[in-house]
Amino acid sequence: MISACPNCGKTLNLTESQRQKIENAVAALAPGKSLKFNCPHCQKPIEVHQEAGAVRPAAPQPAAGQGLPEPPGPPDRSWLERGDLGSGEVFEDVPQVMILVKDEQMQADIVQYFDDMGYKAIVPRTAEDALERMRFANFAAVVLHSGFEGDLAHSTVHSLLQTMAMPRRRYIYYVLIGPEFHTLYNLEALTNSANLVINEKDISAFPLVLKKGLRDYDELFGPYLAALGALGKK
C-alpha cells in the first residue's frame, strides 16, 4: 500500500479505514485503469493502480514537452519599485553616497551622476538627519555644499568629517562644493580636510571632475589602503 506522497514525499498517515477503501476501489478498477485522490499535504493528485495484488503509485505522466520540475518564480522586485531595500536592509555591494545640497536642480543632477556610477544616493533634509545616518551606516562618499548649514565654518557635518577617526574617515570620499572653491585645487581640498573641491559653476562637469578626482585618489592612496588590508588593519 502507498504510504507517502510521490509529489511532496510526506507521509500520508492514512487510517486503516481509508487504506481499506482505497484498496477496495483499486481492486474494482478495470484493467489498465487507475485511481486518483489528492494528497492532504500538497493537494496534488496521487494516482495509484493495482499491481500483482498490491496497490502501487502509478508512474507520473508528464505533459507533452515537460518532464522537468517547475522552475522557481521570478525574484521579488517590490523593493526596486519602492526605491528602497526595505526594513533598513542595505546590500553591502551597493556603495552609498550622502548628498547634502539644498539647490533642488543641483541636487537632482548630482544624484543622477552618482546613480549612473552605480551608487545609491541618500539625501537627508537636515544636518541632524545626516549626522544620525552616519552613526549607523558607512558611506563611500559624502557630497556637501558649503551653504547647506549656512556656511562651512558652522557646519556640523563638516566638523564631524574633519574630526572623524581615520580608520573610518579614509574610506569616505569627501567632496565639497561651493562658490568659494577652485575646482580640482588639491591644496584647497587638503586645507578643508576634503578629497575634492568643486566650484558650483563647474557642476555640469561634475562626472568628469569626480572621475579624475577618484582616479588621482586611487593612485595616491590605493597602495597604502591595500597594504593596510594585507596587514588586517583599516
Side-chain angles (χ1 to χ4, degrees):
M1 178 62 192
I2 183 172
S3 59
C5 173
N7 300 305
C8 65
K10 293 184 178 180
T11 303
L12 294 178
N13 294 322
L14 298 175
T15 65
E16 186 59 36
S17 175
Q18 289 172 328
R19 289 173 182 270
Q20 191 62 50
K21 286 182 179 180
I22 293 174
E23 290 178 355
N24 292 341
V26 172
L29 292 173
K33 298 295 182 178
S34 60
L35 173 72
K36 291 183 179 180
F37 62 94
N38 289 340
C39 169
H41 303 292
C42 66
Q43 299 302 314
K44 291 184 179 180
I46 300 173
E47 186 176 2
V48 294
H49 66 280
Q50 190 171 26
E51 180 180 310
V55 178
R56 306 289 186 189
Q61 299 297 319
Q66 296 182 347
L68 295 175
E70 192 171 320
D76 176 28
R77 61 186 303 276
S78 59
W79 66 270
L80 185 62
E81 296 173 351
R82 292 194 309 269
D84 63 66
L85 301 179
S87 303
E89 181 184 1
V90 175
F91 293 145
E92 293 182 357
D93 57 348
V94 179
Q96 293 189 100
V97 55
M98 178 179 289
I99 299 173
L100 302 167
V101 178
K102 283 189 174 181
D103 183 277
E104 292 185 358
Q105 184 58 57
M106 186 185 300
Q107 178 194 105
D109 290 342
I110 296 173
V111 168
Q112 186 61 56
Y113 297 150
F114 275 97
D115 183 67
D116 292 341
M117 294 176 63
Y119 285 75
K120 177 177 173 59
I122 303 297
V123 187
R125 297 301 176 186
T126 65
E128 292 75 14
D129 185 20
L131 295 173
E132 185 69 13
R133 287 173 180 271
M134 279 196 282
R135 285 181 57 197
F136 300 104
N138 293 320
F139 289 89
V142 173
V143 179
L144 174 67
H145 191 284
S146 59
F148 185 76
E149 294 180 77
D151 62 80
L152 205 59
H154 298 91
S155 170
T156 56
V157 175
H158 180 61
S159 177
L160 172 65
L161 287 163
Q162 281 186 309
T163 57
M164 185 179 288
M166 285 310 297
R168 186 180 180 194
R169 169 65 182 86
R170 64 170 57 101
Y171 293 97
I172 300 174
Y173 192 79
Y174 182 28
V175 181
L176 279 173
I177 301 174
E180 69 270 39
F181 300 125
H182 300 81
T183 301
L184 288 170
Y185 187 19
N186 291 334
L187 184 59
E188 196 169 45
L190 180 62
T191 302
N192 287 280
S193 302
N195 298 103
L196 178 67
V197 290
I198 303 177
N199 188 286
E200 60 184 28
K201 292 181 179 179
D202 296 324
I203 202 66
S204 60
F206 187 92
L208 184 61
V209 172
L210 180 64
K211 286 180 180 179
K212 185 181 187 315
L214 288 171
R215 185 188 65 189
D216 292 346
Y217 176 80
D218 186 60
E219 290 177 353
L220 182 62
F221 292 104
Y224 174 64
L225 295 177
L228 286 177
L231 295 172
K233 299 180 180 180
K234 292 186 178 180

